[in-house]
């Protein structure tokens, strides 16, 4: 389902809320909650999802943080973003 179809379903349900069975209302609300939770997500192939989740777990970071790091580094590598300069004389903890 798309966000537009869920929004239309919610509006339709609101117009006839007294006639909606409780179970149907729960299903519609759960779909809406799921869509809101995933609003910023990009659909990925299952193998890609598994790899991202595995790597994020190994690195101890969230999946969105991992995606942000990978995307930023790809953009820098391919000259779409300027490469960040690191002062070689400063002390760092190895974090980004």
């Amino acid at each position: 389902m798309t966000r537009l179809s869920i929004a239309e379903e919610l509006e339709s349900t609101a117009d006839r809320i007294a006639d909606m069975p409780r179970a149907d209302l729960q299903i519609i609300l759960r779909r809406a909650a799921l869509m809101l939770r995933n609003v910023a997500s990009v659909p990925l192939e299952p193998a890609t999802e598994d790899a991202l989740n595995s790597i994020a777990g190994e690195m101890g970071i969230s999946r969105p943080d991992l995606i942000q790091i990978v995307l930023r580094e790809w953009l820098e590598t391919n000259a779409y973003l300027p490469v960040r300069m690191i002062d070689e004389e400063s002390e760092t903890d190895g974090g980004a």
Side-chain angles (χ1 to χ4, degrees), residues 29-41:
L29 291 173
R30 287 177 198 266
R31 278 190 205 146
L34 182 62
M35 184 67 71
L36 288 172
R37 243 184 255 117
N38 295 326
V39 75
S41 71

Side-chain angles (χ1 to χ4, degrees), residues 36-80:
L36 288 172
R37 243 184 255 117
N38 295 326
V39 75
S41 71
V42 174
L44 300 172
E45 296 174 356
T48 304
E49 289 275 354
D50 291 344
L52 284 172
N53 291 334
S54 176
I55 294 166
E58 287 176 19
M59 294 177 67
I61 60 175
S62 70
R63 185 174 170 267
D65 287 344
L66 175 62
I67 292 171
Q68 184 177 5
I69 291 166
V70 170
L71 184 57
R72 183 186 63 234
E73 289 183 4
W74 185 88
L75 290 169
E76 288 173 353
T77 300
N78 291 286
Y80 292 104

